[in-house]
Amino acid sequence: MIEKIYEEMLSRDPDQPEFHQAVREVLDSLEPVLERHPEFVEANILSRIIEAERIIQFRVPWTDDDGNVHVNRGFRIQMNSAIGPYKGGLRFHPSVNLSILKFLAFEQVFKNSLTTLPMGGGKGGSDFDPKGKSDSEIMRFCQSFMLELSRHVGADVDVPAGDIGVGGREIGYLYGMYRKIRNEFTGVLTGKGMSYGGSLIRPEATGYGQVYFAREMLKTRDETLEGKVCLISGSGNVAQFAAEKALQLGAKIVTMSDSGGFIHDPNGFTLEKLEWIKELKNVRRGRISEYANQFEGAIYTPVDHNLDYNPLWAVDADVALPAATQNEINGKDAENLLANNVYVVSEGSNMPSTPEAIEHFIEAGILYAPGKASNAGGVATSGLEMSQNSMRMNWTREEVDEKLDSIMVSIHETCARTAEEYGYPGNYMMGANIAGFLKVADAMLNQGVV
Ligand code: NDP
Ligand code: 2IT
């Protein structure tokens, strides 16, 4: 039956490989669930859960600083609202298309379910490339994007946030335009600035949560992150705060990257070096290659498109914390990681490991956490931002961090327990897919055929 549903999806949307990949992984995990729950089969939950409730695509025209008019595509995928309003980020990157956004929205449904908070799943964005654009170009683009998006979102309807290429600056411009159009001050976006309804710890949350999850996995083997050598990919929001938390917990970080290449600093990053990277990336918006000119002993390796592996994943280490983009670890990268004794992989990016890579990790029996579990701290803290907005109050830094930490502990516990219950002990991928599915499927079943 699973095969038939998958084939149907392939023939409906043959040109969406990332979406197929995300669906395949989840469907393949659900066999043991359907055996125990024939009612899900009867209500055809699987066919319904892989079909978006609504997809919005729109034109985003904008004018650059020289007066030239450009047109980009805007999207919002409203995937599933059975357990709460649609919730999920916006991605601005030239690669954005329906396949990528549908895979992200699909993953978001299960991730949001795992957080324990009442949030449905959605995702959106544009093929707009923010690189090299001035602040005023970014502002005009965001305003044009929100002019259309504002018709489809709302604090109780759909609450977007950031993702690749969308950070605090973009959320600010988007929020300003929404407020002007709708003449209302509500929690329609998360990741807002602290002066207008943002939550403490939201910027840190995805990276911190990713490391809390790694800490929980290590705990099952009576180990800690102290002294562990970590590989991080990316140098954006998630990577920066994964590095910060891992350093605070005593790990040694030796790599970071951007789309141009990676730096290997065998001496390890310090909090001071990390501050320099944050300034480079968040203020000057420069390239990671500059790090090698700044700090002695660091080596920069540019991306080589002739290689069929990423040399970042061939550096000696104990822990890998991918935090850049999808499919950044292929089968060969996974073999390299395992050959170099990496035995903890906690995903910060969404779907960073290809199916071949995941197979290697699971066969090797290492501590492997899929993104929908280990990167859920970001959206969980968005959920906490929504609660604070509704209550019109703010929790302290310590309060939010404590809630984030206990949510990550609970997601870890749920994934481990569910994997065990269904006969796959230690397999966090099975645990995350099954547990994430059960809550949404139950809600869909109870709400009838809608
Ligand atoms: P940012 O835009 O802040 O940073 C992205 C980083 O990844 C940059 O270093 C970027 O390099 C690199 N990168 C992006 N695309 C590619 C690519 N195609 N090839 C190589 N490198 C690439 O985004 P975030 O840190 O927010 O997001 C990183 C990952 O984490 C994404 O997969 C996102 O979906 C996921 N995620 C984010 C959450 C959040 O709260 N922000 C929550 C959960 C998951 P460059 O600057 O050169 O493009
Ligand atoms: O992939 C993700 O979970 C995010 N980009 C964060 C979504 C959110 O609503 O905070």
Side-chain angles (χ1 to χ4, degrees), residues 260-262 300-304 311:
F262 79 98
Y300 176 68
T301 307
V303 169
D304 178 351

Side-chain angles (χ1 to χ4, degrees), residues 181-195:
I181 297 167
R182 300 286 280 259
N183 193 27
E184 61 179 34
F185 192 101
T186 54
V188 65
L189 292 163
T190 58
K192 299 186 291 300
M194 286 312 300
S195 55

